[in-house]
Amino acid sequence: MKRRQRSEQVPHKNQTDLSAWRKGRKSDPVKSAQSHQSPGNRKNDSSQDSLEEAFSYFENVQERVSLRRNSVLQKHLTTVESIALQTGLPPEGFDVLLKVALSGKLADTVNTRLLKSLVPASVIPESSVVSSVSLLCVGKCSASTQLLFLRWLITMFDFIDHKEQIHALYGFFFAFLQDEKMCPYICHVLYLLTRKESVRPFRVRKLLDLQAKMGMQSHLQALLSLYKLFCPEMVTIALPGKMKTYFKNSEGPWKAAINAVRRRNQANSPVLQTLVLGTTQPRSRKRKWNAQVIIAASSTNRNRLEEDGGEERGSLYDMDESFPVEKLQTFSQLLQNIHRLEFPSQMGSVLTNPLLLHYVNCIKDESVYLRLYYWMGQTLQEECTWCVADNSQYEEEFKDFLEAVYKAECFLQEGFSSSEEFLYKSLPLWDGFCCRSQVLKLVSWIPLSSFSEMKSHFYDPLAQLFFTSSLYFKCSVLESLKELLQNWINWLAINSESESDSQAHSLNTTLSGLVNVVAELIHFVGRISTAALRLENNSTLLLFFILDFYETVCDIYLKYNLPLLIMPPAGVFYPALLSMDSVNLNQLCYIMYRYRTNLVAAKENERSKKKILQFKFSSQTYKEYNQYIVAMVGCLWTSNVFQKDTHPQGLRMDDDKLLKTTEVQEIKSSFNIVYHPAMMGYAVHFLQQAWPNDTTLNFSLIKGKKWNWYLEYLYAQGLKGLKVFIESSINRVSQASCAKAEDAEV
């Protein structure tokens, strides 16, 4: 009984009667809140009065009215436009303005201006949309007005407070597919409304007939693709597998107004926002990307929540009813209700909600992926600050969106195909500066696939930016490509181990192609690294990032059980060998040690016929490794690099006269571990500690036992890479030489 009394006192949320709104203004809690906030309420009251007069005027229009020489109409039209752009229109005004705009009582220019002014301050009542859709049957408004209304409906779809009655009009919208001009927009509306129960054989046949008549139109393909996901047995034709941009952008006339309203609403106080929006949480100024990421109540359950006073009543939801996503708070709730969870309309809420991301990761319903990928693809395309001229002022918000996409990819441990397509389309237009960190993060999650055009869509535009940008940009790109390589080989390793023996043959065929894609990435990094080192004069910082990449490459065979081992190009190896920095030289030693370990394991597997994925490394790989080892040992240990290096791009110089022209003392030993430019600082400190009274710094003293002491000193300084390299590749020679004579020179 108490519950009934309460419901009688509180007006229903869907009330759209204009007279009720006028009466409500007298005791409107928003007004009382405003009266305590600022002295500018008189101006607000004046605007509200003018808006009320405008609504009354349009509500009472009976005959066709012309805009020309009608000052009253011009006045009220201007009032609606100005308030809509400033604060947005209240829910109660949409029913009036939609009816008059679609009734044919006003000229097309007026109807167009009215429809472009329909920007909501909070939500749009579903009843207003339903009544306006029914006016399309009357046929009094022009075709251009009908198209503009459909574009408005698509743009404002997420602002409609309920969707059940609109879903009931699915057949009505479907009948409009006959109109060629309206067909793209009708398909877009149907795409937003389609559920599994909406797919019927006669609708599939109709779409196929239209496709045969009109050709392969993207909007028809979109609807057929969605139908095929829900009911693959009904749609048997082959459709393009790679998702494309199915629909054109429809929000152009309203985008700037929505942004302006959102900015102003964000400046309001939290109390005022709560009073204005009621149970609907405040959203950001963007329609599609919500920086607040609040999950709004789903349309099928909002009425029940309002009737229950917002209390949690888990017993009300039986096994046949959907579980409201706004009540999802814990992982246990997700496990108990995952089969009846309704995906939210606000896709932005999915990106930053771990529970919903778990749902995306576990659910087998392909329509969920299609909805998420379509929304994300549209948002990335339309909000891109360097692809769309008007979006440059929204760079910070676009950064937040890209960051949310990246974090969602990290959570799911896989990249989104819509993000991949965005990169392929936008990289040629990117300046390398706008949203740099976020774009390069997305690059690291490009899905591994045998995309035949990756070179022209990804490698070529990225290389152009790489060569023409700063040193720090080059380092950032290399770091991103290293993470991309890491993600790809992780995926390959997991998938190669998870398959059964019966699938081994088909798996080998598939993985061999994907391994080639990974190999192409490594070769690409080798090419740009070689050129970048020349451009940046062998920068120590750049070389560090390059070697960091190859530290991952050198261990792919053993660490990830994949048949891939690619040596760095000579343009990377020799600058690292002759580097002035001990960190890079130490890292190169460790990389060559790991290459040796992997190659020895591969050779042993070949001899014992234990082949990984039926693959053998080519003799060229072993040959190149041996050439590099000869060069390293000749430099760091035996001091004969100028005579023994056999690599075509190596340091071999047969003409001793040319070496003598350098006038460098001890020319042959100038790159060993004592005289090497990267190691000379350690040698100086060692001499100062071993002979503190000797100020001549006689490097020739480091020999015999002193040589071994010097090695121990280097190891103690943290040069672990040098240690494992010497112990694995040189230690046998050093022991033999030291055994012959303590004072033998090296």
Side-chain angles (χ1 to χ4, degrees):
M1 193 68 178
K2 293 180 180 179
R3 190 175 182 179
R4 181 179 302 174
Q5 291 174 353
R6 181 180 61 183
S7 62
E8 290 175 354
Q9 294 173 0
V10 181
H12 195 273
K13 298 289 182 183
N14 288 333
Q15 179 68 36
T16 59
D17 184 67
L18 196 58
S19 60
W21 175 61
R22 293 173 187 142
K23 294 178 182 178
R25 286 188 59 225
K26 297 179 181 179
S27 59
D28 190 354
V30 177
K31 286 292 182 182
S32 61
Q34 287 179 333
S35 63
H36 295 288
Q37 290 176 1
S38 64
N41 292 309
R42 294 181 180 178
K43 182 177 180 180
N44 293 335
D45 289 340
S46 175
S47 299
Q48 291 294 335
D49 292 338
S50 300
L51 185 61
E52 181 182 342
E53 292 177 7
F55 286 163
S56 298
Y57 173 81
F58 288 116
E59 184 182 27
N60 296 320
V61 171
Q62 299 296 331
E63 299 177 354
R64 186 173 180 85
V65 180
S66 174
L67 181 62
R68 185 178 299 177
R69 298 179 182 178
N70 191 328
S71 59
V72 178
L73 175 58
Q74 293 178 356
K75 172 189 172 184
H76 293 312
L77 183 59
T78 303
T79 298
V80 170
E81 289 176 327
S82 61
I83 294 180
L85 291 175
Q86 291 175 5
T87 60
L89 298 177
E92 296 77 10
F94 285 89
D95 189 57
V96 174
L97 298 181
L98 282 170
K99 282 182 179 179
V100 71
L102 299 176
S103 64
K105 296 178 181 179
L106 302 174
D108 279 353
T109 54
V110 180
N111 295 331
T112 300
R113 291 173 63 180
L114 282 177
L115 288 173
K116 290 183 178 181
S117 301
L118 295 179
V119 180
S122 56
V123 295
I124 299 173
E126 182 187 30
S127 57
S128 302
V129 178
V130 172
S131 61
S132 60
V133 169
S134 65
L135 289 174
L136 294 180
C137 291
V138 179
K140 290 186 176 180
C141 60
S142 64
S144 60
T145 302
Q146 291 177 342
L147 293 178
L148 187 61
F149 167 74
L150 291 175
R151 293 177 61 190
W152 174 85
L153 179 60
I154 294 167
T155 303
M156 303 298 174
F157 188 80
D158 285 345
F159 289 98
I160 302 173
D161 57 356
H162 304 279
K163 306 265 189 340
E164 287 307 301
Q165 295 180 26
I166 300 178
H167 276 291
L169 298 175
Y170 192 93
F172 171 83
F173 285 112
F174 197 88
F176 274 93
L177 287 174
Q178 296 284 1
D179 192 311
E180 292 189 9
K181 292 184 178 180
M182 296 177 66
C183 185
Y185 302 104
I186 290 294
C187 284
H188 199 161
V189 174
L190 293 174
Y191 191 95
L192 296 173
L193 293 174
T194 296
R195 297 172 175 173
K196 188 170 184 178
E197 58 268 22
S198 306
V199 183
R200 294 289 183 266
F202 74 92
R203 287 175 178 157
V204 175
R205 288 194 298 270
K206 183 62 178 177
L207 289 175
L208 293 176
D209 291 342
L210 287 173
Q211 183 169 268
K213 177 183 176 182
M214 300 180 182
M216 294 289 288
Q217 301 295 326
S218 60
H219 49 274
L220 294 175
Q221 291 179 23
L223 205 50
L224 282 170
S225 298
L226 189 57
Y227 279 17
K228 188 167 186 176
L229 285 176
F230 282 124
C231 302
E233 71 281 1
M234 293 188 189
V235 185
T236 58
I237 66 169
L239 294 170
K242 197 166 183 65
M243 195 188 77
K244 58 188 291 188
T245 303
Y246 290 129
F247 306 109
K248 295 181 180 180
N249 180 15
S250 297
E251 67 175 6
W254 300 276
K255 181 176 180 178
I258 292 174
N259 293 338
V261 169
R262 290 306 177 203
R263 285 197 302 271
R264 291 183 176 89
N265 286 347
Q266 285 177 348
N268 292 338
S269 68
V271 175
L272 181 59
Q273 287 187 355
T274 303
L275 290 170
V276 171
L277 301 182
T279 59
T280 303
Q281 297 295 334
R283 294 188 286 183
S284 72
R285 58 182 173 83
K286 293 279 187 181
R287 173 179 67 90
K288 294 185 176 180
W289 166 238
N290 188 340
Q292 303 285 336
V293 212
I294 301 298
I295 304 176
S298 58
S299 58
T300 56
N301 295 291
R302 186 177 292 172
N303 288 336
R304 186 189 292 113
L305 288 173
E306 291 173 355
E307 292 172 1
D308 294 340
E311 300 176 2
E312 292 194 13
R313 301 178 183 269
S315 61
L316 292 178
Y317 304 103
D318 57 32
M319 297 302 292
D320 296 327
E321 293 180 330
S322 60
F323 185 81
V325 70
E326 68 276 1
K327 294 177 70 63
L328 187 64
Q329 301 295 330
T330 64
F331 189 73
S332 60
Q333 284 182 324
L334 174 66
L335 295 178
Q336 294 169 6
N337 302 282
I338 193 169
H339 57 288
R340 51 196 183 97
L341 190 67
E342 183 177 355
F343 218 49
S345 296
Q346 289 81 3
M347 291 290 102
S349 63
V350 178
L351 291 181
T352 54
N353 188 308
L355 294 177
L356 291 180
L357 289 175
H358 275 303
Y359 175 76
V360 171
N361 204 26
C362 298
I363 200 68
K364 298 299 182 182
D365 188 356
E366 290 293 332
S367 64
V368 170
Y369 292 96
L370 191 61
R371 282 187 59 195
L372 181 61
Y373 291 168
Y374 165 71
W375 169 83
M376 189 182 301
Q378 289 289 103
T379 306
L380 287 168
Q381 177 185 354
E382 296 168 7
E383 310 300 328
C384 179
T385 53
W386 61 88
C387 294
V388 183
D390 296 337
N391 287 350
S392 57
Q393 56 184 317
Y394 308 129
E395 181 178 341
E396 289 302 319
E397 185 162 344
F398 189 57
K399 282 183 180 179
D400 294 338
F401 176 58
L402 295 180
E403 192 71 31
V405 173
Y406 167 73
K407 290 180 179 178
E409 291 179 329
C410 291
F411 185 92
L412 297 173
Q413 287 296 291
E414 64 176 322
F416 297 125
S417 61
S418 51
S419 172
E420 176 190 13
E421 292 185 4
F422 163 72
L423 291 173
Y424 293 159
K425 292 178 180 179
S426 63
L427 278 180
L429 304 174
W430 187 41
D431 59 2
F433 179 78
C434 181
C435 306
R436 174 189 296 178
S437 175
Q438 291 73 24
V439 172
L440 292 180
K441 286 178 180 179
L442 293 183
V443 166
S444 67
W445 279 108
I446 291 177
L448 176 60
S449 63
S450 54
F451 181 41
S452 60
E453 299 182 1
M454 178 169 266
K455 181 180 184 299
S456 59
H457 285 75
F458 177 62
Y459 291 139
D460 289 348
L462 187 62
Q464 282 187 328
L465 286 169
F466 184 83
F467 294 137
T468 57
S469 298
S470 67
L471 169 65
Y472 299 103
F473 179 83
K474 293 181 176 69
C475 295
S476 300
V477 170
L478 289 169
E479 178 68 17
S480 179
L481 293 177
K482 186 199 78 169
E483 293 177 2
L484 176 63
L485 173 66
Q486 188 74 62
N487 291 329
W488 281 4
I489 57 181
N490 280 336
W491 186 92
L492 279 173
I494 293 171
N495 283 272
S496 62
E497 293 176 358
S498 62
E499 300 295 336
S500 62
D501 293 337
S502 61
Q503 298 171 304
H505 179 71
S506 60
L507 177 66
N508 287 344
T509 304
T510 303
L511 288 183
S512 62
L514 296 178
V515 167
N516 290 336
V517 176
V518 178
E520 177 56 34
L521 171 63
I522 297 173
H523 288 307
F524 170 73
V525 172
R527 291 192 298 271
I528 64 173
S529 298
T530 300
L533 285 171
R534 295 174 182 173
L535 290 172
E536 300 294 342
N537 296 321
N538 295 327
S539 164
T540 299
L541 179 63
L542 180 63
L543 186 58
F544 172 82
F545 281 92
I546 295 172
L547 293 177
D548 196 37
F549 177 86
Y550 280 98
E551 192 168 330
T552 301
V553 175
C554 68
D555 246 348
I556 292 179
Y557 180 78
L558 282 180
K559 191 173 182 179
Y560 299 95
N561 201 32
L562 294 173
L564 194 63
L565 203 58
I566 299 175
M567 301 299 299
V572 170
F573 172 79
Y574 284 101
L577 179 60
L578 305 179
S579 173
M580 303 285 286
D581 184 77
S582 61
V583 174
N584 288 333
L585 181 61
N586 180 68
Q587 194 173 12
L588 176 66
C589 290
Y590 176 78
I591 290 172
M592 296 306 295
Y593 161 72
R594 292 309 304 169
Y595 271 120
R596 180 183 186 277
T597 305
N598 280 257
L599 286 170
V600 169
K603 181 64 71 174
E604 291 176 353
N605 286 338
E606 289 178 13
R607 289 172 180 171
S608 61
K609 298 183 179 179
K610 295 179 180 179
K611 304 172 185 177
I612 298 180
L613 295 179
Q614 300 179 355
F615 183 90
K616 286 186 178 181
F617 293 114
S618 68
S619 59
Q620 181 63 31
T621 304
Y622 293 100
K623 179 181 179 181
E624 193 169 13
Y625 168 79
N626 289 331
Q627 289 174 334
Y628 286 164
I629 282 295
V630 169
M632 286 191 70
V633 173
C635 264
L636 302 177
W637 198 262
T638 61
S639 301
N640 60 5
V641 65
F642 298 113
Q643 291 78 33
K644 299 296 185 180
D645 193 352
T646 60
H647 196 281
Q649 301 178 37
L651 303 175
R652 183 183 182 91
M653 294 185 185
D654 294 324
D655 188 358
D656 291 338
K657 294 181 179 180
L658 180 62
L659 291 174
K660 291 179 180 179
T661 59
T662 62
E663 298 182 358
V664 175
Q665 296 180 0
E666 304 293 339
I667 185 66
K668 292 184 178 181
S669 60
S670 58
F671 289 105
N672 68 17
I673 57 175
V674 175
Y675 292 96
H676 195 291
M679 308 300 295
M680 191 170 288
Y682 292 105
V684 170
H685 289 159
F686 175 76
L687 289 174
Q688 290 175 344
Q689 293 181 19
W691 295 276
N693 297 325
D694 187 356
T695 59
T696 60
L697 296 178
N698 186 3
F699 292 105
S700 63
L701 294 175
I702 305 177
K703 60 184 179 180
K705 283 187 177 180
K706 309 297 190 302
W707 180 274
N708 292 333
W709 294 350
Y710 178 59
L711 285 179
E712 295 299 327
Y713 171 77
L714 294 178
Y715 300 160
Q717 302 305 308
L719 299 177
K720 303 301 182 183
L722 180 67
K723 181 177 186 292
V724 293
F725 173 76
I726 291 177
E727 290 178 350
S728 63
S729 302
I730 306 176
N731 194 42
R732 291 163 302 188
V733 179
S734 66
Q735 288 178 349
S737 61
C738 290
K740 291 180 180 179
E742 286 187 357
D743 56 351
E745 296 225 5
V746 179

